[in-house]
Structures are given as structure tokens and as C-alpha cells.
């Protein structure tokens, strides 16, 4: 398919956009004019939304948001499950010049309270299911709030005509929050052009996404990975996105594949591991799927092999980040190597540097830096974090990598203590703080530990106030304490008791000693 009018890419993969433009036009409005009005843009178990309906509801949403008093540049915090309203809110905001901010929907009231304050959002729209965490978070806040259902009633009553608010390619468009090992989540500010770049460079040119693809991402839309897979790539190409608002399990995912016959399936290693186990019990038909994609954490080579054996399909591992927006090093059909992240996506410059900032020789490990036109150029309100991470147009990924002789990039771990659990960030410090909040605990250290699939999960090493309290009952209690206080995926899967923790002379926990 030709690129949308006014948009082109140079031979070295740099994007050209009109000086005044709004990214909702090529992603949403264009399709009706190109004859896709009656085509399904979104399919769920409950409904199908055509491109014509989508364009109309995006307009009504933009008008409803303006009608609620939001002005261009204002932030809309949207804590919304994977459903068509996610699309309406995200694109309706963008078309009206309002900045949508869709955070992780698995977080707790304290996390949302922070994001509401940090973003200075004017309005919070949330799926009713999340009221228990959102309503307490709103108590101290001047922001207005509406459930999705209440918003949809306003949307239905708003005008279906909306002029796009014109912007420059590098103007702020949407934010995504990302967490660090210390400190609060950071809002990565993404520009108008960023989704154009990821959709074309990775979606079209690496994965080969087309209008005839049906895309199903078990990774949720709030995750930059899911946002690309399950929304921007299908909309960029005029294809169909399948959405399911439930928590993905092997059964729900395989049932969706049976029912919607997607041609592209996107998961994370933890889910692939559970799916592999489920396939032992019950074989499933994946013949509609032409490619499976994995990201969020490294896919062990053995899982790649077992999946291929059982399903006949390859899993294309690729590394992306919230800051880069989507995958910048990836495997592709016809060019993949198990146990690696693949090769750089054309258009993304990747460098592995030593501590002095010099490029290492092939085969030597170092810090991975990338340069990308889809990259966020700042963190909202965090000039120091911005200066550390975004340097002269280059992005510090925080990952250690090495390049093999054939140009495949091999992941070797994080350069900080952060963990990826089920593809989602976990800060050991946050889990330690939670554990220390339990009356029996004196000190706690959290490290990553590989489970039987080779996937990393948090493990806690605990020093008790009374050593005699140690035991299975306390372990259960500590796990329950974490599950109730933190996002549920963050609880430690193993607890070990020790008389003391290894520390540096300055009192810093030496987590590397605990990892072995
Ligand atoms: C790690 C990987 C090894 C790595 C993401 C695809 O994961 C995404 O974004 P986040 O900001 O995390 C980024 C960090 O996660 N990581 C991601 N993928 C891999 N490590 N192999 C992989 N395949 O530490 C990276 O720096 O949550 C993934 C697309 C968009 C994304 N935002």
C-alpha cells in the first residue's frame, strides 16, 4: 500500500511529514476516503467497529473532551482496559490537540495519585473495573474524572465533525510512563511523528504488516509494545485489530486465536511459557498465524525451539522500549536467530559502547545506545533523568549487549538492578520497601531469579527482627502482603531468610552477591 499522502521516507529511512499536520488524519480519517469505511477496524467478542464508525467516534470524542473544558496541550489520563473506547479516547484527544496518557492498568492507588499529580492532567477517564484504585487516587486531586461508560454517553451526544488541530512533526502528541529502579515513574513525551516511524519502519518494513493482516496482541495497549501491535500498526495499514479486555491466559489467548483467526500474534515470554505448557495438555490450531512476535524481556532459545516444534510457527524476538516507542532490534521472517534479539531495524542506529563512550569491537559486551526518529525527546518535568538518558540525540537503553559475528545482537542483562517480570518493569527497591513495611522484617533485598523456564522473577532475601519467625507461614504472609500493596505481578516468588545482607562499606546492598 502507498504511504498516506504528504508522508514519505528517504532512502536512509528518515521520515518526511507536512509542516502542519495531525497524526490522527493518516491513522484514522484517511481510511474512509480510501474505501475502507465498511471494513472492520476493531473486533472484540462483543462488537465490530468499522473504520467509518471509528472515524466518527474519534470526532465525537474530541468534541466531548473539548466540551468538558480541556484545551489543546492539556493531558488526559486514560486508565482504560483494551476495548474500542481506548481507541476513541486516544485518537479523539490527539485530533483535538489534547495529550493522552495511558498508564499501566495494573497499578495501585498510590501510583495513580502520583501520575495524576505529575502529569497535571485535567481529566481522568477510567474503566469502571479500576474504580477501587482510581477513586482513592483522585481524593487529593483537582482533576475531573469520569468512568468510560459515563464518557461514552457524552461522546454519543457530541458533534461528529471535528477539524484536526494542526501541529508540527516534533510537537508533543502523547506520553507513556516508564518506571526506574529508584524514584517515581517518568512520563516519556512522544511527538506526532513517532507512531508514523514505528509503524512504517518496524510494522511494515520488518514484519510486513499489510491491510489484510488481523493483529492480535495479548500484550495490552497501555504497554508501548501493545500500543503498536494492537493499535497503531493495524490502523497505519488499514488492517483489523482484535481486542480482549480480560487478563490473558493460555486459554483466553488460544480461544481468541481460534475465533478471530489472526495472522499476527504478539505475546511476551512469560505468556509463551504458559502457552507452551498448555499445548502439552491440549493441542491447538495456530494455522492462521503467519508470525508470532515476542518482546518485553529476552525469549530463551529453548522456548523458540519448543514453540516451533509444537506450532510450526517462529517467534520473532525483538527489543523495544517505552522511550523508543517500539522495537528497534528485531528478528524477521527469513532472517532470525534463536536466543538473539535479531539485527537493528533499518532506520535505527545502534551502538555498543564501553565505559569511556568508545565503540567496542564485535563480540565484546557494552552498553547499548540507539538513535531513532521515534524516540521520546524528554521525560516530563525530569530534566536530570532526561539529560542522563537522552544525550545528543542518542538514547541510553540501560541494556548490556554484544553483537555476534553475523550482526545479531545478544542481550546480556540490564546495567541497573531493574527486573522485567512478564515483560513489565519491576523495581527491586519498591518491593524491598514494601517488605520492610511488614512488622516481622528488618531488612530486605530483592533480586531476579530464573524460574524453570529461564524467565526472571523477583526473589526476596530477608533479615528478620526475630530469626525464629522464619518459615512457610511467614513466607506466605510476606507474599500476600506484597500482592495486596503492590501491583500483583511484583510479589516475590521465593523468599529466603538470612542472618544479614552483604553490603558495601557505604551500606549499599550488594545485589550481585545475592544473585548467585
Ligand atoms: C527490556 C528486552 C531483552 C530491555 C517494549 C517492545 O519492553 C518494552 O518497553 P519497556 O520500556 O522496557 C524496555 C526494556 O525492556 N527488553 C524489552 N524487550 C526485550 N530485553 N530482549 C527483549 N526482546 O531491558 C529494554 O531496555 O517496558 C518492547 C516494544 C515496545 C516496548 N515499549
Amino acid at each position: 500500500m502507498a504511504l498516506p499522502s504528504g508522508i514519505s521516507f528517504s532512502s536512509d529511512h528518515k521520515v518526511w511529514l507536512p509542516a502542519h499536520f495531525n497524526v490522527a488524519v493518516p491513522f484514522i480519517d484517511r481510511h474512509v476516503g480510501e474505501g475502507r469505511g465498511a471494513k472492520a477496524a476493531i473486533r472484540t467478542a462483543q462488537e465490530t467497529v468499522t473504520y467509518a464508525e471509528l472515524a466518527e467516534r474519534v470526532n465525537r470524542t474530541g468534541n466531548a473532551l473539548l466540551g468538558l473544558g480541556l484545551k489543546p496541550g492539556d493531558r488526559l489520563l486514560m486508565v482504560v482496559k483494551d476495548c474500542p473506547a481506548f481507541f476513541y479516547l486516544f485518537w479523539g484527544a490527539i485530533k483535538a490537540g489534547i495529550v493522552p496518557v495511558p498508564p499501566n492498568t495494573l497499578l495501585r492507588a498510590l501510583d495513580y495519585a502520583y501520575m495524576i499529580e505529575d502529569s497535571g492532567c485535567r481529566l481522568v477517564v477510567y474503566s469502571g473495573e479500576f474504580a477501587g484504585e482510581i477513586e482513592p487516587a483522585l481524593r487529593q486531586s483537582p482533576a475531573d474524572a469520569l468512568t468510560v461508560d459515563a464518557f461514552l454517553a457524552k461522546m454519543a451526544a457530541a458533534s461528529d465533525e471535528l477539524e484536526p488541530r494542526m501541529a508540527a512533526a516534533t510537537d508533543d502528541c502523547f506520553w507513556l510512563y516508564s518506571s526506574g529502579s529508584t524514584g517515581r515513574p517518568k512520563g516519556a513525551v512522544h511527538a506526532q511523528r513517532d507512531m508514523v516511524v514505528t509503524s512504517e519502519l518496524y510494522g511494515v518494513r520488518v514484519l510486513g504488516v499489510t491491510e489484510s493482516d488481523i493483529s492480535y496482541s495479548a500484550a495490552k495497549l497501555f504497554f508501548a509494545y501493545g500500543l503498536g501491535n494492537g493499535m497503531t500498526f493495524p490502523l497505519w495499514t488499514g488492517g483489523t485489530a482484535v481486542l480482549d479486555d480480560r487478563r490473558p491466559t493460555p486459554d483466553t489467548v488460544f480461544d481468541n486465536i481460534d475465533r478471530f483467526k489472526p495472522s499476527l500474534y504478539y505475546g511476551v515470554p512469560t505468556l509463551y511459557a504458559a502457552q507452551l505448557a498448555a499445548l502439552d495438555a491440549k493441542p491447538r490450531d495456530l494455522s492462521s498465524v503467519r508470525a508470532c512476535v515476542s518482546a518485553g524481556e529476552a525469549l530463551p532459545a529453548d522456548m523458540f525451539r519448543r514453540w516451533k516444534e509444537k506450532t510450526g510457527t517462529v517467534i520473532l524476538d525483538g527489543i523495544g522500549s517505552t522511550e523508543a516507542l517500539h522495537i528497534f532490534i528485531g528478528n524477521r521472517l527469513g532472517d532470525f536467530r534463536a536466543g538473539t534479539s535479531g539485527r537493528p531495524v533499518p532506520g535505527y542506529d545502534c551502538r555498543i559502547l564501553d565505559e569511556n563512550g568508545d565503540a567496542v569491537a564485535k563480540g565484546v559486551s557494552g552498553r547499548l545506545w540507539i538513535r531513532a526518529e521515534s524516540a521520546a525527546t524528554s521525560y516530563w518535568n525530569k530534566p536530570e533523568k532526561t539529560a542522563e538518558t537522552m544525550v545528543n540525540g542518542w538514547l541510553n537503553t540501560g541494556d548490556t549487549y554484544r553483537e555476534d559475528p553475523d550482526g545479531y545482537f545478544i542481550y546480556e542483562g540490564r546495567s541497573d538492578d531493574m527486573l522485567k517480570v512478564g515483560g513489565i518493569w519491576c523495581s527491586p527497591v519498591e518491593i524491598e520497601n514494601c517488605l520492610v513495611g511488614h512488622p516481622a522484617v528488618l531488612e530486605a533485598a530483592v533480586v531476579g531469579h530464573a524460574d524453570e523456564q529461564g524467565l526472571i522473577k523477583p526473589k526476596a532475601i530477608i533479615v528478620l527482627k526475630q530469626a525464629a519467625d522464619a518459615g512457610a507461614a511467614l513466607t506466605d504472609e510476606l507474599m500476600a502482603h506484597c500482592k495486596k500493596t503492590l501491583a500483583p505481578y511484583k510479589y516475590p516468588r521465593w523468599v529466603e531468610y538470612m542472618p544479614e545482607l552483604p553490603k558495601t562499606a557505604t551500606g549499599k546492598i550488594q545485589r550481585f552477591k545475592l544473585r548467585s
Side-chain angles (χ1 to χ4, degrees), residues 7 66 86 171 175 226 233 273 277 338 415 425 428:
I7 301 180
L66 295 169
F86 187 106
D171 281 352
W175 303 358
F233 300 173
S415 10
W425 281 131

Side-chain angles (χ1 to χ4, degrees), residues 178 223-225 294-298 317-323 325-327 341 397 399 401 411 414 420 423 425:
S178 175
F223 187 17
Y225 175 51
S294 175
E297 59 183 318
D317 188 8
I319 176 174
S321 73
T322 305
E323 290 80 355
L325 191 56
H326 213 276
I327 290 173
S341 305
T397 63
D399 295 303
Y401 262 88
Y411 177 74
R414 291 286 305 170
K420 267 309 189 78
W425 281 131

Side-chain angles (χ1 to χ4, degrees), residues 42-356:
I42 307 170
R43 290 194 63 200
T44 75
Q46 293 77 33
E47 61 181 318
T48 296
V49 179
T50 65
Y51 272 98
E53 288 165 335
L54 176 61
E56 180 204 307
R57 291 173 198 172
V58 163
N59 285 352
R60 291 188 194 276
T61 296
N63 286 319
L65 291 171
L66 295 169
L68 285 161
L70 279 81
K71 302 268 181 297
D74 283 347
R75 271 78 59 200
L76 162 70
L77 194 77
M78 40 181 288
V79 191
V80 177
K81 61 188 184 182
D82 280 19
C83 65
F86 187 106
F87 283 45
Y88 311 156
L89 285 158
F90 189 86
W91 293 101
I94 289 175
K95 194 166 174 188
I98 294 159
V99 177
V101 185
N104 181 341
T105 60
L106 301 170
L107 299 179
R108 298 300 192 199
L110 281 175
D111 304 305
Y112 294 123
Y114 173 76
M115 287 173 185
I116 291 168
E117 200 202 320
D118 179 64
S119 66
C121 61
R122 284 286 303 273
L123 178 68
V124 181
V125 178
Y126 60 99
S127 300
E129 288 87 333
F130 310 133
E133 303 296 335
I134 299 295
E135 282 164 11
L138 283 162
R139 262 170 223 147
Q140 312 283 325
S141 151
D144 293 324
L146 281 175
T147 62
V148 167
D149 289 342
F151 183 83
L152 288 176
K154 296 212 182 285
M155 177 192 91
S159 156
D160 64 359
E161 280 177 38
L162 175 66
E163 276 303 307
R165 167 98 186 176
M166 289 301 168
T170 52
D171 281 352
D172 295 2
C173 185
F174 64 102
W175 303 358
L176 296 172
Y177 272 96
S178 175
S179 353
S181 64
T182 54
R184 298 303 209 133
K186 316 172 284 273
V189 179
H190 278 288
Q192 291 275 333
R193 71 175 176 198
D194 298 0
M195 292 183 285
V196 172
V197 171
T198 54
S199 300
E200 184 64 23
L201 296 187
Y202 180 72
V204 172
R205 299 186 181 184
V206 169
L207 274 187
V209 182
T210 71
E211 187 174 359
S212 30
D213 278 309
I214 299 175
S215 300
Y216 170 42
S217 177
K220 296 292 180 192
L221 296 170
F222 66 71
F223 187 17
Y225 175 51
L227 191 82
N229 311 334
M231 186 175 76
T232 56
F233 300 173
L235 294 180
W236 179 246
T237 49
T240 301
V242 171
L243 299 182
D244 182 346
D245 61 18
R246 295 171 298 174
R247 188 175 71 85
T249 66
D251 276 339
T252 65
V253 167
F254 283 130
D255 289 350
N256 284 332
I257 293 176
D258 269 349
R259 173 174 192 162
F260 296 104
K261 308 269 182 279
S263 52
L264 294 168
Y265 168 63
Y266 303 83
V268 296
T270 303
L271 184 58
Y272 281 115
Q275 287 180 267
L276 273 168
L279 282 173
D280 283 336
K282 179 175 171 192
R284 294 286 202 146
D285 176 18
L286 270 82
S287 56
S288 68
V289 179
R290 67 175 178 85
C292 297
V293 181
S294 175
E297 59 183 318
L299 182 80
D302 185 56
M303 279 177 55
F304 174 95
R305 279 186 215 105
R306 281 160 53 221
W307 185 266
K308 180 120 194 294
E309 218 173 85
K310 285 207 178 127
T311 69
T313 342
V314 293
I315 305 180
L316 303 173
D317 188 8
I319 176 174
S321 73
T322 305
E323 290 80 355
L325 191 56
H326 213 276
I327 290 173
F328 47 83
I329 298 176
N331 287 286
R332 54 170 88 202
L333 291 168
D335 179 20
F336 54 82
R337 181 164 291 182
T340 79
S341 305
R343 295 189 222 244
V345 171
Y348 290 83
D349 300 319
C350 301
R351 283 183 174 172
I352 302 176
L353 304 181
D354 65 17
E355 314 77 85
N356 303 320

